[in-house]
Amino acid sequence: VSRAVAIFTLFMFFLIITIGIAIWLGEIMGKYSYGFFIVAAFYGLTGIILFFFMHKRIKTIINNSIIKHFFK
């Protein structure tokens, strides 16, 4: 339960920070929607880079973690 609470807290932190950055960028650009588009583009590019360049490594780390956790 404590791990779930910690993960939820981190998720909320990143969500609120992301919204704040999007609003701040939108204010600088003149329209709030521009800030949200910029933040979405950043996350999209990050996802694409992770998928194409780090997919095997991330998959290996997750698989090893699951094996260690369930098959000790």
Side-chain angles (χ1 to χ4, degrees), residues 54-67:
M54 300 288 292
H55 179 71
K56 283 187 176 186
R57 183 180 169 116
I58 292 171
K59 185 177 177 181
T60 302
I61 291 170
I62 291 172
N63 286 341
N64 289 341
S65 174
I66 290 170
I67 290 170

Side-chain angles (χ1 to χ4, degrees), residues 3 10 13 30 32 36 43-44 47 55 67 71:
R3 185 171 285 185
L10 282 172
F13 170 77
Y32 289 119
F36 284 95
Y43 280 126
H55 179 71
I67 290 170
F71 299 106

Side-chain angles (χ1 to χ4, degrees), residues 24-40:
W24 176 67
L25 286 172
E27 197 172 299
I28 290 172
M29 302 288 286
K31 284 191 175 182
Y32 289 119
S33 60
Y34 292 163
F36 284 95
F37 287 138
I38 291 169
V39 170

Side-chain angles (χ1 to χ4, degrees), residues 39-59:
V39 170
F42 170 75
Y43 280 126
L45 287 173
T46 302
I48 289 169
I49 289 169
L50 286 176
F51 180 77
F52 285 112
F53 296 110
M54 300 288 292
H55 179 71
K56 283 187 176 186
R57 183 180 169 116
I58 292 171
K59 185 177 177 181

